[in-house]
PDB file of all heavy atoms in Angstrom:
ATOM      1  N   TYR H 201      -5.944   9.686  -7.268  1.00  0.00           N
ATOM      2  CA  TYR H 201      -6.152  10.893  -8.044  1.00  0.00           C
ATOM      3  C   TYR H 201      -7.022  11.951  -7.289  1.00  0.00           C
ATOM      4  O   TYR H 201      -7.511  12.881  -7.955  1.00  0.00           O
ATOM      5  CB  TYR H 201      -6.826  10.548  -9.394  1.00  0.00           C
ATOM      6  CG  TYR H 201      -6.068   9.586 -10.209  1.00  0.00           C
ATOM      7  CD1 TYR H 201      -6.579   8.324 -10.593  1.00  0.00           C
ATOM      8  CD2 TYR H 201      -4.768   9.909 -10.653  1.00  0.00           C
ATOM      9  CE1 TYR H 201      -5.824   7.470 -11.379  1.00  0.00           C
ATOM     10  CE2 TYR H 201      -4.025   9.048 -11.404  1.00  0.00           C
ATOM     11  CZ  TYR H 201      -4.554   7.799 -11.789  1.00  0.00           C
ATOM     12  OH  TYR H 201      -3.810   6.937 -12.535  1.00  0.00           O
ATOM     13  N   TYR H 202      -7.224  11.762  -6.039  1.00  0.00           N
ATOM     14  CA  TYR H 202      -8.031  12.697  -5.247  1.00  0.00           C
ATOM     15  C   TYR H 202      -7.535  14.126  -5.331  1.00  0.00           C
ATOM     16  O   TYR H 202      -6.308  14.362  -5.238  1.00  0.00           O
ATOM     17  CB  TYR H 202      -8.020  12.235  -3.756  1.00  0.00           C
ATOM     18  CG  TYR H 202      -8.811  13.052  -2.824  1.00  0.00           C
ATOM     19  CD1 TYR H 202     -10.133  13.375  -3.067  1.00  0.00           C
ATOM     20  CD2 TYR H 202      -8.187  13.669  -1.702  1.00  0.00           C
ATOM     21  CE1 TYR H 202     -10.869  14.191  -2.186  1.00  0.00           C
ATOM     22  CE2 TYR H 202      -8.902  14.497  -0.835  1.00  0.00           C
ATOM     23  CZ  TYR H 202     -10.238  14.729  -1.101  1.00  0.00           C
ATOM     24  OH  TYR H 202     -10.936  15.575  -0.195  1.00  0.00           O
ATOM     25  N   ASP H 203      -8.450  15.010  -5.537  1.00  0.00           N
ATOM     26  CA  ASP H 203      -8.105  16.476  -5.509  1.00  0.00           C
ATOM     27  C   ASP H 203      -9.218  17.215  -4.841  1.00  0.00           C
ATOM     28  O   ASP H 203     -10.295  17.373  -5.407  1.00  0.00           O
ATOM     29  CB  ASP H 203      -7.971  17.004  -6.992  1.00  0.00           C
ATOM     30  CG  ASP H 203      -7.563  18.458  -6.946  1.00  0.00           C
ATOM     31  OD1 ASP H 203      -7.610  19.116  -5.990  1.00  0.00           O
ATOM     32  OD2 ASP H 203      -7.217  18.960  -8.102  1.00  0.00           O
ATOM     33  N   PRO H 204      -9.001  17.629  -3.613  1.00  0.00           N
ATOM     34  CA  PRO H 204     -10.036  18.282  -2.806  1.00  0.00           C
ATOM     35  C   PRO H 204     -10.612  19.525  -3.450  1.00  0.00           C
ATOM     36  O   PRO H 204     -11.673  20.000  -2.982  1.00  0.00           O
ATOM     37  CB  PRO H 204      -9.349  18.557  -1.428  1.00  0.00           C
ATOM     38  CG  PRO H 204      -7.882  18.547  -1.774  1.00  0.00           C
ATOM     39  CD  PRO H 204      -7.743  17.597  -2.915  1.00  0.00           C
ATOM     40  N   ARG H 205      -9.937  20.096  -4.389  1.00  0.00           N
ATOM     41  CA  ARG H 205     -10.416  21.319  -5.016  1.00  0.00           C
ATOM     42  C   ARG H 205     -11.509  21.019  -6.052  1.00  0.00           C
ATOM     43  O   ARG H 205     -12.138  21.954  -6.520  1.00  0.00           O
ATOM     44  CB  ARG H 205      -9.261  22.048  -5.713  1.00  0.00           C
ATOM     45  CG  ARG H 205      -8.152  22.480  -4.723  1.00  0.00           C
ATOM     46  CD  ARG H 205      -6.902  22.922  -5.504  1.00  0.00           C
ATOM     47  NE  ARG H 205      -6.402  21.807  -6.334  1.00  0.00           N
ATOM     48  CZ  ARG H 205      -5.419  21.971  -7.168  1.00  0.00           C
ATOM     49  NH1 ARG H 205      -4.719  23.059  -7.211  1.00  0.00           N
ATOM     50  NH2 ARG H 205      -5.023  20.938  -7.916  1.00  0.00           N
ATOM     51  N   SER H 206     -11.720  19.775  -6.331  1.00  0.00           N
ATOM     52  CA  SER H 206     -12.764  19.445  -7.275  1.00  0.00           C
ATOM     53  C   SER H 206     -13.958  18.879  -6.534  1.00  0.00           C
ATOM     54  O   SER H 206     -13.794  18.232  -5.540  1.00  0.00           O
ATOM     55  CB  SER H 206     -12.222  18.323  -8.267  1.00  0.00           C
ATOM     56  OG  SER H 206     -13.229  18.055  -9.283  1.00  0.00           O
ATOM     57  N   SER H 207     -15.153  19.221  -6.979  1.00  0.00           N
ATOM     58  CA  SER H 207     -16.355  18.681  -6.371  1.00  0.00           C
ATOM     59  C   SER H 207     -17.380  18.355  -7.394  1.00  0.00           C
ATOM     60  O   SER H 207     -17.245  18.727  -8.555  1.00  0.00           O
ATOM     61  CB  SER H 207     -16.926  19.781  -5.412  1.00  0.00           C
ATOM     62  OG  SER H 207     -17.389  20.905  -6.210  1.00  0.00           O
ATOM     63  N   ALA H 208     -18.421  17.682  -6.970  1.00  0.00           N
ATOM     64  CA  ALA H 208     -19.488  17.288  -7.927  1.00  0.00           C
ATOM     65  C   ALA H 208     -20.163  18.564  -8.480  1.00  0.00           C
ATOM     66  O   ALA H 208     -20.640  18.564  -9.633  1.00  0.00           O
ATOM     67  CB  ALA H 208     -20.528  16.434  -7.207  1.00  0.00           C
ATOM     68  N   ASP H 209     -20.268  19.609  -7.640  1.00  0.00           N
ATOM     69  CA  ASP H 209     -20.822  20.871  -8.037  1.00  0.00           C
ATOM     70  C   ASP H 209     -19.937  21.536  -9.081  1.00  0.00           C
ATOM     71  O   ASP H 209     -20.418  22.076 -10.074  1.00  0.00           O
ATOM     72  CB  ASP H 209     -20.987  21.810  -6.866  1.00  0.00           C
ATOM     73  CG  ASP H 209     -22.214  21.449  -6.029  1.00  0.00           C
ATOM     74  OD1 ASP H 209     -22.966  20.575  -6.500  1.00  0.00           O
ATOM     75  OD2 ASP H 209     -22.328  21.975  -4.918  1.00  0.00           O
ATOM     76  N   LYS H 210     -18.694  21.557  -8.793  1.00  0.00           N
ATOM     77  CA  LYS H 210     -17.713  22.241  -9.634  1.00  0.00           C
ATOM     78  C   LYS H 210     -16.546  21.310 -10.024  1.00  0.00           C
ATOM     79  O   LYS H 210     -15.516  21.434  -9.397  1.00  0.00           O
ATOM     80  CB  LYS H 210     -17.155  23.532  -8.987  1.00  0.00           C
ATOM     81  CG  LYS H 210     -18.235  24.606  -8.696  1.00  0.00           C
ATOM     82  CD  LYS H 210     -17.562  25.924  -8.299  1.00  0.00           C
ATOM     83  CE  LYS H 210     -17.136  26.699  -9.513  1.00  0.00           C
ATOM     84  NZ  LYS H 210     -16.608  28.039  -9.236  1.00  0.00           N
ATOM     85  N   PRO H 211     -16.868  20.397 -10.894  1.00  0.00           N
ATOM     86  CA  PRO H 211     -15.794  19.430 -11.240  1.00  0.00           C
ATOM     87  C   PRO H 211     -14.612  20.152 -11.955  1.00  0.00           C
ATOM     88  O   PRO H 211     -14.853  20.872 -12.903  1.00  0.00           O
ATOM     89  CB  PRO H 211     -16.495  18.477 -12.217  1.00  0.00           C
ATOM     90  CG  PRO H 211     -17.692  19.242 -12.724  1.00  0.00           C
ATOM     91  CD  PRO H 211     -18.062  20.230 -11.695  1.00  0.00           C
ATOM     92  N   ARG H 212     -13.450  19.904 -11.464  1.00  0.00           N
ATOM     93  CA  ARG H 212     -12.246  20.517 -12.035  1.00  0.00           C
ATOM     94  C   ARG H 212     -11.692  19.667 -13.137  1.00  0.00           C
ATOM     95  O   ARG H 212     -11.098  20.136 -14.092  1.00  0.00           O
ATOM     96  CB  ARG H 212     -11.243  20.768 -10.920  1.00  0.00           C
ATOM     97  CG  ARG H 212      -9.935  21.321 -11.425  1.00  0.00           C
ATOM     98  CD  ARG H 212      -9.011  21.644 -10.250  1.00  0.00           C
ATOM     99  NE  ARG H 212      -9.554  22.614  -9.333  1.00  0.00           N
ATOM    100  CZ  ARG H 212      -8.879  23.673  -8.885  1.00  0.00           C
ATOM    101  NH1 ARG H 212      -7.656  23.880  -9.233  1.00  0.00           N
ATOM    102  NH2 ARG H 212      -9.474  24.512  -8.025  1.00  0.00           N
ATOM    103  N   TRP H 213     -11.802  18.325 -12.939  1.00  0.00           N
ATOM    104  CA  TRP H 213     -11.158  17.381 -13.887  1.00  0.00           C
ATOM    105  C   TRP H 213     -12.186  16.591 -14.636  1.00  0.00           C
ATOM    106  O   TRP H 213     -13.228  16.246 -14.125  1.00  0.00           O
ATOM    107  CB  TRP H 213     -10.186  16.491 -13.065  1.00  0.00           C
ATOM    108  CG  TRP H 213      -9.190  17.319 -12.328  1.00  0.00           C
ATOM    109  CD1 TRP H 213      -9.038  17.394 -10.993  1.00  0.00           C
ATOM    110  CD2 TRP H 213      -8.160  18.140 -12.904  1.00  0.00           C
ATOM    111  NE1 TRP H 213      -8.020  18.257 -10.656  1.00  0.00           N
ATOM    112  CE2 TRP H 213      -7.443  18.708 -11.833  1.00  0.00           C
ATOM    113  CE3 TRP H 213      -7.766  18.469 -14.166  1.00  0.00           C
ATOM    114  CZ2 TRP H 213      -6.399  19.588 -11.997  1.00  0.00           C
ATOM    115  CZ3 TRP H 213      -6.685  19.344 -14.359  1.00  0.00           C
ATOM    116  CH2 TRP H 213      -6.029  19.858 -13.304  1.00  0.00           C
ATOM    117  N   LEU H 214     -11.797  16.241 -15.869  1.00  0.00           N
ATOM    118  CA  LEU H 214     -12.651  15.501 -16.729  1.00  0.00           C
ATOM    119  C   LEU H 214     -11.976  14.251 -17.238  1.00  0.00           C
ATOM    120  O   LEU H 214     -10.788  14.102 -17.189  1.00  0.00           O
ATOM    121  CB  LEU H 214     -13.028  16.406 -17.956  1.00  0.00           C
ATOM    122  CG  LEU H 214     -13.593  17.731 -17.656  1.00  0.00           C
ATOM    123  CD1 LEU H 214     -13.721  18.605 -18.922  1.00  0.00           C
ATOM    124  CD2 LEU H 214     -14.970  17.646 -17.013  1.00  0.00           C
ATOM    125  N   MET H 215     -12.841  13.358 -17.727  1.00  0.00           N
ATOM    126  CA  MET H 215     -12.294  12.153 -18.388  1.00  0.00           C
ATOM    127  C   MET H 215     -13.164  11.833 -19.579  1.00  0.00           C
ATOM    128  O   MET H 215     -14.279  12.342 -19.766  1.00  0.00           O
ATOM    129  CB  MET H 215     -12.246  10.934 -17.433  1.00  0.00           C
ATOM    130  CG  MET H 215     -13.573  10.584 -16.841  1.00  0.00           C
ATOM    131  SD  MET H 215     -13.324   9.320 -15.529  1.00  0.00           S
ATOM    132  CE  MET H 215     -14.999   9.100 -14.928  1.00  0.00           C
ATOM    133  N   VAL H 216     -12.668  10.997 -20.463  1.00  0.00           N
ATOM    134  CA  VAL H 216     -13.426  10.435 -21.579  1.00  0.00           C
ATOM    135  C   VAL H 216     -13.427   8.967 -21.431  1.00  0.00           C
ATOM    136  O   VAL H 216     -12.660   8.360 -20.683  1.00  0.00           O
ATOM    137  CB  VAL H 216     -12.835  10.828 -22.948  1.00  0.00           C
ATOM    138  CG1 VAL H 216     -12.922  12.366 -23.149  1.00  0.00           C
ATOM    139  CG2 VAL H 216     -11.448  10.327 -23.090  1.00  0.00           C
ATOM    140  N   ASP H 217     -14.365   8.242 -22.106  1.00  0.00           N
ATOM    141  CA  ASP H 217     -14.291   6.840 -22.183  1.00  0.00           C
ATOM    142  C   ASP H 217     -13.637   6.404 -23.511  1.00  0.00           C
ATOM    143  O   ASP H 217     -13.936   7.065 -24.551  1.00  0.00           O
ATOM    144  CB  ASP H 217     -15.689   6.191 -22.141  1.00  0.00           C
ATOM    145  CG  ASP H 217     -16.333   6.259 -20.733  1.00  0.00           C
ATOM    146  OD1 ASP H 217     -15.626   6.706 -19.804  1.00  0.00           O
ATOM    147  OD2 ASP H 217     -17.454   5.892 -20.599  1.00  0.00           O
ATOM    148  N   VAL H 218     -12.792   5.419 -23.426  1.00  0.00           N
ATOM    149  CA  VAL H 218     -12.101   4.964 -24.618  1.00  0.00           C
ATOM    150  C   VAL H 218     -12.422   3.511 -24.899  1.00  0.00           C
ATOM    151  O   VAL H 218     -12.671   2.728 -23.950  1.00  0.00           O
ATOM    152  CB  VAL H 218     -10.580   5.133 -24.467  1.00  0.00           C
ATOM    153  CG1 VAL H 218     -10.234   6.609 -24.249  1.00  0.00           C
ATOM    154  CG2 VAL H 218      -9.997   4.247 -23.382  1.00  0.00           C
ATOM    155  N   GLY H 219     -12.472   3.185 -26.142  1.00  0.00           N
ATOM    156  CA  GLY H 219     -12.717   1.778 -26.600  1.00  0.00           C
ATOM    157  C   GLY H 219     -11.515   1.193 -27.240  1.00  0.00           C
ATOM    158  O   GLY H 219     -10.839   1.937 -27.999  1.00  0.00           O
ATOM    159  N   TYR H 220     -11.305  -0.049 -27.078  1.00  0.00           N
ATOM    160  CA  TYR H 220     -10.222  -0.737 -27.709  1.00  0.00           C
ATOM    161  C   TYR H 220     -10.472  -0.933 -29.199  1.00  0.00           C
ATOM    162  O   TYR H 220     -11.542  -1.335 -29.616  1.00  0.00           O
ATOM    163  CB  TYR H 220     -10.040  -2.128 -27.085  1.00  0.00           C
ATOM    164  CG  TYR H 220      -8.991  -2.990 -27.717  1.00  0.00           C
ATOM    165  CD1 TYR H 220      -7.600  -2.728 -27.468  1.00  0.00           C
ATOM    166  CD2 TYR H 220      -9.308  -4.010 -28.542  1.00  0.00           C
ATOM    167  CE1 TYR H 220      -6.658  -3.506 -28.057  1.00  0.00           C
ATOM    168  CE2 TYR H 220      -8.352  -4.832 -29.163  1.00  0.00           C
ATOM    169  CZ  TYR H 220      -7.007  -4.571 -28.916  1.00  0.00           C
ATOM    170  OH  TYR H 220      -6.032  -5.307 -29.502  1.00  0.00           O
ATOM    171  N   LYS H 221      -9.443  -0.613 -30.021  1.00  0.00           N
ATOM    172  CA  LYS H 221      -9.568  -0.843 -31.464  1.00  0.00           C
ATOM    173  C   LYS H 221      -8.627  -1.927 -31.897  1.00  0.00           C
ATOM    174  O   LYS H 221      -9.038  -2.913 -32.538  1.00  0.00           O
ATOM    175  CB  LYS H 221      -9.269   0.469 -32.205  1.00  0.00           C
ATOM    176  CG  LYS H 221     -10.321   1.544 -32.074  1.00  0.00           C
ATOM    177  CD  LYS H 221     -11.621   1.138 -32.739  1.00  0.00           C
ATOM    178  CE  LYS H 221     -11.554   1.363 -34.255  1.00  0.00           C
ATOM    179  NZ  LYS H 221     -12.864   1.200 -34.875  1.00  0.00           N
TER     180      LYS H 221
END
Side-chain angles (χ1 to χ4, degrees):
Chain H
Y201 301 120
Y202 178 57
D203 182 349
R205 299 167 303 177
S206 185
S207 67
D209 284 350
K210 297 192 82 175
R212 176 176 299 228
W213 303 114
L214 304 173
M215 58 189 177
V216 296
D217 286 356
V218 301
Y220 176 78
K221 290 292 280 187

